[in-house]
Amino acid sequence: SRTYPGTYPFLTPAYSGSLRVGWSSDKYHSVIIMNMMVEVILNELVITIFLSRRQLVLYKNNVPLKTYPVGVGKTFSPTPTGNYYIVSKRPYPGGPFGLMWLGLNVPHYGIHGTNNSASIGGYVSKGCIRMHNKDVLELSRIVPIGTRVTIIP
């Protein structure tokens, strides 16, 4: 890719048909048009957790990509609903958390594996989302830190 005076080396010309409209960056998923930065979301990954179905669905550009069974919070320690995002990935967190911890931006809550596979599919946790170890490992390889997580009843 060519670099241009006064631009960043990762930018390449952006075209609409045969008309050059600015500069684009596949690396940063953005386009610069007429000295104005416009964010373009490409390959957006979003996790939605359906508590009533005890199911986690990974979407790519609003299309379901993967579906996993999960265990969720008990009646007296429910999983909080709302919009969050993944802030950390911690392999081998120890104890009952299985092989991977995906921390949310709510202290002490996350998506994690389990040392008790029989708990998947039930209302069993203190509020976290439990997954089979193989599933949480697969998910952790797909989603980056910053991935949006929506938890709905």
Side-chain angles (χ1 to χ4, degrees), residues 53-69:
R53 297 190 330 219
R54 281 136 358 256
Q55 190 176 64
L56 182 153
V57 180
L58 174 63
Y59 293 91
K60 181 176 181 179
N61 298 326
N62 296 318
V63 176
L65 182 64
K66 295 275 186 178
T67 301
Y68 304 99

Side-chain angles (χ1 to χ4, degrees), residues 31-140:
V31 177
I32 297 174
I33 301 173
M34 304 286 209
N35 295 326
M36 181 173 55
M37 186 71 118
V38 179
E39 289 298 318
V40 178
I41 298 172
L42 300 173
N43 299 320
E44 181 184 35
L45 296 169
V46 175
I47 293 170
T48 301
I49 298 163
F50 299 92
L51 297 177
S52 63
R53 297 190 330 219
R54 281 136 358 256
Q55 190 176 64
L56 182 153
V57 180
L58 174 63
Y59 293 91
K60 181 176 181 179
N61 298 326
N62 296 318
V63 176
L65 182 64
K66 295 275 186 178
T67 301
Y68 304 99
V70 296
V72 298
K74 299 175 190 176
T75 302
F76 297 108
S77 55
T79 301
T81 58
N83 296 305
Y84 309 101
Y85 55 93
I86 295 173
V87 296
S88 65
K89 291 184 181 185
R90 186 170 166 214
Y92 310 107
F97 303 115
L99 299 179
M100 178 62 72
W101 170 268
L102 302 175
L104 300 179
N105 62 315
V106 176
H108 313 294
Y109 287 94
I111 301 167
H112 63 80
T114 182
N115 59 3
N116 179 8
S117 288
S119 67
I120 303 302
Y123 294 97
V124 294
S125 78
K126 293 184 178 176
C128 288
I129 294 90
R130 291 186 189 178
M131 298 181 73
H132 290 291
N133 283 321
K134 66 179 179 57
D135 292 344
V136 75
L137 288 173
E138 179 181 68
L139 182 66
S140 72

